[in-house]
């Protein structure tokens, strides 16, 4: 029988053990995290104060930015601390809390992306009914479901993580507490956690991605039927930013969670995790603003208003 031991804390091995690279990574990720906070919080404020951005699409986008702020903040500060600290530990409770919020926010984000795809379908395929079908009440209900569902599913998944037992190896080959590396070092309760992780991730990613794919299939059909070239261009431009964000987020998560944890997959997943925990939250505001005429105009008006206030 395995000799189970009580866990007080884990050691996060991080991205690298080389001192010169740790300093470089600290500077790079500190800049990325700062840009993430400024970009997403700025997007939230801009949507709230700009009259031309008071539509369902921007309402959902503000929630995507809100989730990105917390998603990045759940991981990056601890990663930055460990890059410059000699002791790279995280308490057992802190590890479970980080797992809980990570799983919750991942589920919230994938379903917000699905809701945003549905919103684009309603706007392009049912423009005459869009205002009535996507009322403020409906939007609030649609955005509430990802939060309630995400945090509920995460509670169940974290309880399964709590069911893992360890036999003396407390070194997590990652820069935050993630299920695959935890499963890799556990010596008890592994099978139920491993299979439930794959099944739950598979069900939720498949369902939410199906909503996105069906919505955009119907959008493409509707756009191709448009007689106006300008109408087609405008429809595709409003969808291009969202498709870019969906492709990056889903692609990296599927690579991370829809396969069995092995030494090789955990090491590869660590590199991929850098992308979806730090880079994507930074890029989302840029993706949605650089290719969006309404957001550009709102930014220019806010800048002009600020200059006049001086």
């Amino acid at each position: 029988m395995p000799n189970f031991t009580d866990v007080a804390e884990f050691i996060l091995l991080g991205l690298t053990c080389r001192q010169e690279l740790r300093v470089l990574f600290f500077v790079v990720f500190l800049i990325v995290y700062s840009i993430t906070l400024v970009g997403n919080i700025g997007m939230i404020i801009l949507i709230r104060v700009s009259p031309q951005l008071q539509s369902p699409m921007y309402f959902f986008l503000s929630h995507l930015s809100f989730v990105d702020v917390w998603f990045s903040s759940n991981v990056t500060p601890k990663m930055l601390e460990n890059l410059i600290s000699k002791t790279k530990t995280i308490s057992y409770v802190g590890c479970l809390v980080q797992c809980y919020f990570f799983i919750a926010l991942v589920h919230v984000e994938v379903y917000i992306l699905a809701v945003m795809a549905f919103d684009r379908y309603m706007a392009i395929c049912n423009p005459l009914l869009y205002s009535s079908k996507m009322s403020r009440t409906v939007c609030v209900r649609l955005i509430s479901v990802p939060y309630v569902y995400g945090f509920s599913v995460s509670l169940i998944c974290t309880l399964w993580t709590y069911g893992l037992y360890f036999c003396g190896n407390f070194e997590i080959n990652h820069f935050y507490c993630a299920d695959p590396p935890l499963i890799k070092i556990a010596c008890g309760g592994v099978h139920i956690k491993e299979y439930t992780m794959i099944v739950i991730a598979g069900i939720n990613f498949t369902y939410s991605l199906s909503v996105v794919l069906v919505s955009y299939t119907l959008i493409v059909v509707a756009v191709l039927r448009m007689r106006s070239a300008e109408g087609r261009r405008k429809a595709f431009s409003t969808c291009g930013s969202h498709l870019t964000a969906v492709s990056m987020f889903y692609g990296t998560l599927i690579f991370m969670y829809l396969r069995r944890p092995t030494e090789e997959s955990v090491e590869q997943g660590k590199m991929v995790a850098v992308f979806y925990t730090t880079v994507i939250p930074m890029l989302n505001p840029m993706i949605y603003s650089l290719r969006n005429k309404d957001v550009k105009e709102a930014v220019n008006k806010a800048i002009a208003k600020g200059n006049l206030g001086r």
Side-chain angles (χ1 to χ4, degrees), residues 4-302:
F4 299 136
T5 55
D6 292 331
V7 184
E9 60 184 18
F10 291 104
I11 299 172
L12 294 169
L13 297 182
L15 292 172
T16 180
C17 59
R18 296 173 60 182
Q19 183 63 36
E20 65 275 15
L21 288 180
R22 279 193 278 169
V23 174
L24 175 62
F25 285 163
F26 177 83
V27 174
V28 170
F29 289 122
L30 179 61
I31 294 172
V32 169
Y33 183 54
S34 301
I35 295 173
T36 299
L37 294 182
V38 172
N40 283 287
I41 294 173
M43 180 68 76
I44 294 170
I45 295 172
L46 183 67
I47 291 171
R48 178 157 297 217
V49 302
S50 301
Q52 67 267 42
L53 301 182
Q54 302 306 305
S55 67
M57 180 175 74
Y58 298 109
F59 172 75
F60 297 133
L61 178 56
S62 67
H63 279 274
L64 180 66
S65 293
F66 175 77
V67 172
D68 277 339
V69 168
W70 288 106
F71 189 58
S72 182
S73 298
N74 182 49
V75 173
T76 310
K78 187 63 179 177
M79 178 181 69
L80 292 173
E81 177 190 337
N82 287 344
L83 281 171
I84 58 173
S85 174
K86 292 183 179 179
T87 58
K88 308 178 188 308
T89 59
I90 183 170
S91 68
Y92 179 71
V93 174
C95 185
L96 289 180
V97 169
Q98 194 174 60
C99 279
Y100 173 73
F101 280 104
F102 179 83
I103 296 169
L105 293 169
V106 164
H107 282 88
V108 173
E109 181 141 350
V110 295
Y111 280 107
I112 287 179
L113 291 171
V115 168
M116 292 175 73
F118 175 74
D119 171 68
R120 291 299 82 211
Y121 157 74
M122 292 296 295
I124 294 171
C125 299
N126 298 282
L128 299 178
L129 299 175
Y130 181 66
S131 298
S132 59
K133 293 292 185 181
M134 297 295 290
S135 64
R136 184 73 177 183
T137 302
V138 171
C139 290
V140 170
R141 289 175 181 172
L142 283 173
I143 204 64
S144 298
V145 172
Y147 286 103
V148 174
Y149 178 77
F151 281 91
S152 300
V153 168
S154 181
L155 179 60
I156 298 171
C157 294
T158 306
L159 288 174
W160 278 319
T161 303
Y162 180 73
L164 292 174
Y165 296 96
F166 302 90
C167 302
N169 180 15
F170 303 140
E171 292 185 342
I172 301 175
N173 187 19
H174 219 292
F175 58 89
Y176 70 93
C177 279
D179 281 341
L182 278 172
I183 292 170
K184 185 62 185 167
I185 66 172
C187 56
V190 171
H191 295 296
I192 185 171
K193 176 60 185 178
E194 182 178 326
Y195 289 118
T196 52
M197 179 190 74
I198 294 173
V199 169
I200 290 178
I203 291 173
N204 286 289
F205 292 166
T206 301
Y207 181 74
S208 56
L209 189 57
S210 296
V211 174
V212 174
L213 294 176
V214 170
S215 297
Y216 276 105
T217 299
L218 296 173
I219 287 171
V220 170
V221 172
V223 170
L224 293 177
R225 290 177 178 174
M226 292 180 180
R227 296 181 179 179
S228 169
E230 178 63 22
R232 288 196 296 269
R233 187 198 63 78
K234 186 176 180 181
F236 280 127
S237 67
T238 60
C239 298
S241 300
H242 184 247
L243 280 173
T244 303
V246 167
S247 300
M248 291 192 303
F249 196 71
Y250 276 91
T252 52
L253 284 175
I254 288 171
F255 182 85
M256 178 79 173
Y257 284 95
L258 292 186
R259 54 184 186 160
R260 296 188 63 183
T262 62
E263 197 67 44
E264 182 183 3
S265 69
V266 168
E267 191 65 34
Q268 292 172 349
K270 186 165 61 172
M271 298 299 105
V272 174
V274 172
F275 192 69
Y276 67 74
T277 57
T278 59
V279 178
I280 290 179
M282 178 191 70
L283 292 178
N284 276 343
M286 300 179 189
I287 292 170
Y288 284 100
S289 60
L290 293 177
R291 300 184 61 180
N292 191 298
K293 184 179 178 182
D294 292 334
V295 174
K296 289 179 182 178
E297 290 179 355
V299 171
N300 291 333
K301 287 182 180 180

